[in-house]
């Protein structure tokens, strides 16, 4: 008789996230919230803050989520003030078409603001913002804005470190989380102040392995977010490791020792760990007689 595998049933509100172009639009993932760049920009730097908890009333979010929200708002205001010198910020909580708890973050500008040699105006100032009105940002400007804001949020972190590295990255499918995964996370965290973990999306796994994962992306990512060694979890949407190094200011990447000589070239340092003997997702699937559909 095989042991029962318990799958997580409470996970992030995928419909709302996907409506706002997650994971491509992700600026920063916090423990209880995801901060996204709004695909339609009513004003420059508009964002969406979405609670990861499966609740449809603001009063239902956990105390931990409420406490973290105040810190996130402080981060948002510090970043946008320094970057664009906004006049005010409007926080809109609508939850009509999208019932999951989320806020539209709309910076307001009394005067025109410049970004990448282009001037943007807040056409509704000083009246209420209109989400139907959007700035005409082409893909290049949108991507540059996303990259800039990601970097700005990273810069809020302390630069001091007592460990070998300040920021490290590791990634994987994490289809069936096991002791080997835990060992790599623990050893990596011992070397750094801030550990970012990339979790492959279902699409990445299908493209690379020709089959879907046993456990869907939203559940796999929630398992990693609950791990005490992990500071931030991001979606791994492709195998471009250098892009992660550049966007997240990574000092070193950790992987299993079987990747020596095979890992794509990156500009940061590499740290190789020996795998835990006789433990792998493949072995566990064989023992449990699990075949992905």
């Amino acid at each position: 008789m095989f042991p029962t595998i318990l799958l997580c049933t409470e996970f992030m509100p995928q419909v709302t996230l996907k409506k706002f172009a997650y994971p491509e639009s992700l600026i920063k993932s916090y423990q209880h919230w995801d901060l996204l760049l709004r695909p339609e920009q009513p004003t420059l730097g508009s964002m969406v803050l979405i609670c990861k908890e499966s609740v449809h009333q603001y009063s239902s979010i956990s105390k931990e989520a409420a406490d973290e929200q105040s810190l996130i708002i402080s981060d948002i205001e510090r970043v946008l003030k320094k970057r664009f010198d906004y006049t005010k910020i409007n926080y809109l909580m609508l939850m009509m078409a999208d019932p999951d708890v989320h806020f539209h973050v709309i910076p307001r500008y009394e005067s025109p603001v410049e970004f990448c040699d282009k001037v943007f105006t807040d056409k509704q100032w000083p009246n209420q913002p209109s989400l139907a009105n959007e700035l005409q940002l082409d893909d290049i400007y949108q991507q540059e804005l996303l990259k800039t804001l990601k970097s700005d949020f990273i810069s809020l972190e302390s630069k001091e470190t007592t460990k070998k590295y300040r920021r490290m990255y590791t990634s994987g499918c994490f289809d069936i989380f096991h002791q080997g995964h835990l060992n790599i996370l623990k050893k990596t965290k011992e070397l750094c102040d801030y550990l970012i973990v990339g979790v492959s999306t279902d699409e990445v796994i299908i493209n690379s392995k020709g089959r879907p994962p046993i456990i869907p992306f939203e559940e796999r990512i929630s398992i990693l977010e609950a791990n005490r060694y992990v500071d931030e979890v991001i979606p791994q949407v492709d195998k471009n490791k250098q892009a992660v190094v550049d966007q997240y200011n990574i000092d070193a990447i950790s992987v299993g020792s079987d990747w020596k000589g095979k890992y794509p070239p990156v500009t940061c340092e590499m740290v190789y760990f020996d795998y835990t003997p006789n433990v792998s997702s493949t072995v566990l699937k064989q023992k449990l007689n699990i075949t992905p559909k």
Side-chain angles (χ1 to χ4, degrees):
M1 190 165 180
F2 297 116
T4 301
I5 296 179
L6 298 177
L7 300 182
C8 177
T9 57
E10 294 188 8
F11 46 82
M12 63 182 69
Q14 284 293 298
V15 174
T16 303
L17 283 167
K18 288 181 178 178
K19 177 174 180 178
F20 294 106
Y22 176 90
E24 289 78 12
S25 61
L26 180 65
I27 295 174
K28 184 174 175 64
S29 179
Y30 292 85
Q31 185 175 357
H32 302 282
W33 301 82
D34 278 316
L35 181 62
L36 312 183
L37 180 67
R38 209 173 182 281
E40 293 79 26
Q41 291 276 292
T43 63
L44 192 65
S46 294
M47 307 174 189
V48 185
L49 183 62
I50 303 175
C51 185
K52 294 179 181 180
E53 298 173 347
S54 297
V55 294
H56 292 169
Q57 297 182 43
Y58 188 45
S59 61
S60 299
I61 69 171
S62 66
K63 181 181 183 301
E64 292 77 14
D67 290 344
E68 186 181 51
Q69 185 188 13
S70 66
L71 299 176
I72 297 171
I73 295 302
S74 176
D75 285 352
I76 289 171
E77 294 180 353
R78 288 167 63 193
V79 164
L80 290 178
K81 192 67 177 178
K82 184 175 181 181
R83 174 59 57 183
F84 298 127
D85 194 22
Y86 65 83
T87 308
K88 292 181 179 291
I89 292 185
N90 294 154
Y91 296 96
L92 307 183
M93 188 181 191
L94 304 177
M95 294 170 56
M96 297 296 288
D98 309 295
D100 301 302
V101 173
H102 67 286
F103 294 83
H104 297 266
V105 181
I106 314 296
R108 307 302 307 279
Y109 303 99
E110 185 175 12
S111 304
V113 60
E114 184 176 334
F115 178 68
C116 288
D117 299 322
K118 189 173 181 179
V119 175
F120 299 91
T121 58
D122 182 348
K123 295 181 180 179
Q124 268 66 52
W125 178 269
N127 301 315
Q128 294 179 358
S130 169
L131 299 184
N133 263 343
E134 72 177 273
L135 302 175
Q136 297 304 310
L137 287 180
D138 59 29
D139 288 343
I140 294 177
Y141 273 91
Q142 190 87 3
Q143 288 305 311
E144 188 61 30
L145 180 58
L146 178 62
K147 185 169 70 173
T148 298
L149 291 175
K150 278 186 178 181
S151 178
D152 287 345
F153 275 86
I154 290 171
S155 70
L156 295 178
E157 299 169 16
S158 172
K159 300 298 189 294
E160 297 180 3
T161 178
T162 57
K163 297 184 178 180
K164 184 173 183 180
Y165 303 106
R166 192 166 68 88
R167 298 171 65 84
M168 289 187 69
Y169 176 74
T170 192
S171 62
C173 299
F174 303 101
D175 198 6
I176 297 182
F177 193 86
H178 53 70
Q179 186 66 39
H181 293 139
L182 185 63
N183 288 342
I184 284 185
L185 297 178
K186 183 175 184 292
K187 290 176 181 177
T188 304
K189 181 60 179 176
E190 288 171 353
L191 294 176
C192 69
D193 294 311
Y194 198 85
L195 172 57
I196 299 176
V197 177
V199 177
S200 296
T201 62
D202 295 346
E203 293 77 14
V204 166
I205 293 176
I206 291 170
N207 290 337
S208 62
K209 300 190 176 185
R211 58 157 181 81
I214 299 294
I215 301 175
F217 170 74
E218 59 268 19
E219 297 184 21
R220 290 183 285 116
I221 202 169
S222 69
I223 291 169
L224 269 297
E225 286 176 332
N227 189 284
R228 63 175 176 158
Y229 301 118
V230 178
D231 296 293
E232 184 174 352
V233 184
I234 62 174
Q236 182 170 237
V237 297
D238 55 38
K239 297 301 180 73
N240 188 343
K241 309 298 185 183
Q242 185 59 50
V244 175
V245 172
D246 293 338
Q247 290 179 27
Y248 291 91
N249 292 357
I250 301 300
D251 301 309
I253 292 176
S254 66
V255 292
S257 55
D258 61 335
W259 278 98
K260 283 186 178 179
K262 303 176 187 176
Y263 202 82
V266 289
T267 54
C268 68
E269 293 186 33
M270 295 295 304
V271 178
Y272 297 96
F273 294 119
D274 289 334
Y275 279 112
T276 305
N278 304 317
V279 177
S280 74
S281 297
T282 302
V283 170
L284 288 175
K285 289 173 189 175
Q286 291 173 348
K287 288 182 178 180
L288 297 170
N289 195 26
I290 297 175
T291 303
K293 296 181 180 179

